[in-house]
Amino acid sequence: MGDRERHRILMVSDFFYPNFGGVESHIYYLSQCLLKLGHKVVVMTHAYGNRSGVRYVTRGLKVYYIPWRPFFMQNTLPTFYGTLPIIRTILIREKITLVHGHQAFSTLCHEALMHARTMGYKVVFTDHSLYGFADVGSIHMNKVLQFTLADVSQAICVSHTSKENTVLRSGLPPEKVFVIPNAVDTAMFIPAPENPRSNDEIVIVVISRLVYRKGADLLVEVIPEVCRLYPRVRFVVGGDGPKRVRLEEMREKHFLQDRVEMLGAVPHSRVRSVLISGHIFLNSSLTEAFCIAILEAASCGLLTVSTRVGGVPEVLPDDMVVLAEPDPVDMVRAIKKAITILPTVDPQDMHKRIKKLYDWHDVARRTEIVYDRAMKCSSQNLLERLARYLSCGSWAGKLFCLVMIIDFLLFCLLPLVQPAIDIEEVPDMVMSPGEDSSAGDHNIPEWS
């Protein structure tokens, strides 16, 4: 490690492998690169089916699947204090120095950050999503986020739009929030060896969860119109979700069975093979903090058509993406433009440019700087921390203070039930910084 400080990091989120998504990939790749930098990394998530207990993934990354079952949308049921004993045990066993929580949706993340601060650990939070300010769900989530981040050491957002959103929602000082974008495994997402484009057919690929937030309803209106305008265009739709029924009905209604292929859920190991079968990637999301999917598509040499929402305009250079408002008419216009400029696109050149722009090792080095800053933050006693919670609102502030006081009392009682000396510390198994272990070597974790 040289002169650099070596961190022992606990990554916490409800979202991790074997579930697949942007947050899951972010945690996995970031952890692999931090291991290569010489840090110790442990992941904590909830149980997935029969997967419970301690498991090891590629290159010795240790994962604690605690025996909590998902309650809603892969989130565990909020317990407030139920996770305190097991989190305390993991922190002591692994000699953790810093806790890094991911995703505002994650119940487990919020509880872990709360308990970690009570125990005096430095905490970092990464926000991967955007939220509104008007609907009931967003108002509730924003208040929870304000509570969690009132005492956070540092925070990370994946785009400047996401940073602005998080600062407004949580009241965090902007100087405590860093922007570190996602990256892509360019070793896996490579273009086809030979250019598959032809004048006979244009394939537009959609890979997304078929839910409202991902703009599945827009696809129902856009696909028939594009098929009507361009007889040689075909769609390949990968993904599953409650809106899949609407797409199936659209296909039946417009007699597009031979022009719209529905793949269903696509395993992450097969995403690249689906992408390279196409020419244009279509993203119809209504909200996105970053969108790794368009990075993967660009790395495979596909021209992207995407809605102009959230942090999407920050992701790709202008010549790699055609942006549109989340409106069917404007999206059809954008697809027309993409088809026009498609002959000028060089997939191999696009891949090389993405490889230079986005690299997980660069993300890890930048995250390491945030960890260093978090460790230098001054420690505060309970009274100083309560003053920060009181500022969260006239009634919410008092409620937050009560929650933290109870958490502190329970933490003081736990050593009587299970003294720290009775918790066996495990030896560190940290990878040598010089060991050849690129996180891009394996997109899918190897399980033990």
Side-chain angles (χ1 to χ4, degrees):
M1 293 289 295
D3 296 330
R4 292 182 294 131
E5 182 178 2
R6 176 171 172 263
H7 301 292
R8 296 182 175 90
I9 307 142
L10 178 66
M11 301 278 185
V12 186
S13 181
D14 279 303
F15 308 100
F16 193 65
Y17 296 145
N19 193 54
F20 283 98
V23 178
E24 292 87 343
S25 297
H26 180 101
I27 296 172
Y28 172 73
Y29 284 118
L30 175 60
S31 298
Q32 291 292 329
C33 292
L34 287 171
L35 285 172
K36 186 179 180 183
L37 287 172
H39 303 289
K40 176 176 179 176
V41 185
V42 178
V43 177
M44 187 180 85
T45 187
H46 63 70
Y48 281 91
N50 295 326
R51 187 175 296 278
S52 182
V54 178
R55 301 293 180 98
Y56 288 87
V57 300
T58 309
R59 297 178 182 85
L61 176 61
K62 192 174 188 178
V63 185
Y64 282 87
Y65 291 93
I66 67 172
W68 261 247
R69 300 294 175 182
F71 170 68
F72 178 69
M73 294 179 65
Q74 293 300 332
N75 274 291
T76 50
L77 181 69
T79 63
F80 284 97
Y81 310 112
T83 52
L84 175 58
I86 194 167
I87 289 174
R88 172 179 176 264
T89 300
I90 292 172
L91 293 174
I92 295 174
R93 271 182 60 81
E94 301 293 341
K95 295 173 283 188
I96 298 297
T97 57
L98 183 143
V99 178
H100 188 171
H102 293 262
Q103 184 61 302
F105 273 126
S106 174
T107 304
L108 193 60
C109 164
H110 289 291
E111 293 188 3
L113 295 185
M114 178 181 75
H115 300 322
R117 288 300 297 129
T118 296
M119 288 182 270
Y121 290 87
K122 300 295 190 294
V123 299
V124 174
F125 172 76
T126 295
D127 200 354
H128 296 264
S129 299
L130 297 177
Y131 293 89
F133 299 89
D135 60 285
V136 175
S138 295
I139 293 171
H140 170 72
M141 182 55 66
N142 293 345
K143 186 56 70 174
V144 172
L145 191 67
Q146 188 179 16
F147 166 53
T148 303
L149 301 190
D151 200 25
V152 75
S153 304
Q154 303 289 330
I156 299 171
C157 291
V158 295
S159 67
H160 289 89
T161 301
S162 176
K163 174 179 177 177
E164 181 181 357
N165 182 264
T166 299
V167 168
L168 289 173
R169 288 159 49 216
S170 66
L172 266 177
E175 60 270 17
K176 293 183 69 173
V177 185
F178 295 81
V179 176
I180 303 177
N182 285 305
V184 63
D185 182 5
T186 53
M188 176 182 180
F189 291 96
I190 57 177
E194 296 181 2
N195 194 338
R197 296 187 173 92
S198 68
N199 296 324
D200 299 329
E201 185 180 61
I202 296 175
V203 179
I204 299 177
V205 177
V206 178
I207 300 181
S208 169
R209 292 193 302 275
L210 301 181
V211 296
Y212 172 78
R213 188 176 72 86
K214 292 294 184 178
D217 296 298
L218 282 175
L219 294 176
V220 172
E221 299 185 51
V222 169
I223 291 176
E225 181 62 16
V226 173
C227 288
R228 184 186 67 82
L229 293 172
Y230 296 94
R232 62 192 182 99
V233 167
R234 183 168 64 86
F235 283 84
V236 176
V237 181
D240 206 350
K243 294 292 183 178
R244 179 175 178 175
V245 176
R246 287 209 63 195
L247 287 168
E248 298 278 8
E249 291 174 347
M250 173 273 296
R251 192 170 66 161
E252 297 288 336
K253 177 181 177 181
H254 296 277
F255 304 103
L256 297 174
Q257 291 88 342
D258 60 333
R259 299 183 60 187
V260 180
E261 183 180 0
M262 303 291 295
L263 301 179
V266 179
H268 203 243
S269 58
R270 289 190 55 235
V271 169
R272 184 249 175 189
S273 63
V274 175
L275 288 172
I276 62 174
S277 69
H279 310 85
I280 296 172
F281 181 78
L282 178 59
N283 171 53
S284 59
S285 294
L286 302 180
T287 175
E288 286 285 359
F290 185 85
C291 193
I292 293 180
I294 66 175
L295 262 191
E296 294 173 345
S299 184
C300 288
L302 276 70
L303 180 63
T304 297
V305 174
S306 177
T307 46
R308 187 186 286 105
V309 295
V312 170
E314 303 177 30
V315 179
L316 294 175
D318 292 340
D319 61 329
M320 292 187 186
V321 61
V322 181
L323 297 173
E325 298 302 322
D327 172 78
V329 175
D330 202 40
M331 289 186 67
V332 171
R333 176 205 58 79
I335 293 173
K336 288 180 181 179
K337 181 179 178 181
I339 292 174
T340 302
I341 65 177
L342 191 60
T344 66
V345 174
D346 182 353
Q348 300 298 334
D349 178 67
M350 189 179 292
H351 174 76
K352 292 176 183 177
R353 291 170 63 191
I354 292 295
K355 190 173 183 179
K356 292 180 180 179
L357 289 171
Y358 293 100
D359 179 63
W360 280 113
H361 297 288
D362 178 60
V363 172
R365 286 188 288 268
R366 294 167 68 175
T367 305
E368 185 182 43
I369 295 172
V370 178
Y371 291 162
D372 293 339
R373 291 193 53 151
M375 296 303 294
K376 293 176 182 177
C377 292
S378 59
S379 299
Q380 295 179 319
N381 59 37
L382 179 61
L383 291 178
E384 291 173 324
R385 293 174 57 226
L386 290 179
R388 301 180 67 174
Y389 289 112
L390 277 174
S391 65
C392 292
S394 56
W395 64 270
K398 297 180 179 65
L399 177 62
F400 295 161
C401 285
L402 178 62
V403 170
M404 294 309 300
I405 290 171
I406 295 174
D407 195 51
F408 181 79
L409 293 175
L410 290 174
F411 169 63
C412 292
L413 290 173
L414 271 178
L416 302 178
V417 180
Q418 186 183 29
I421 196 172
D422 292 341
I423 300 175
E424 181 183 6
E425 294 183 351
V426 298
D428 291 345
M429 297 176 60
V430 181
M431 186 178 299
S432 170
E435 190 173 340
D436 183 17
S437 58
S438 170
D441 290 346
H442 297 277
N443 187 67
I444 305 303
E446 300 168 348
W447 301 99
S448 64

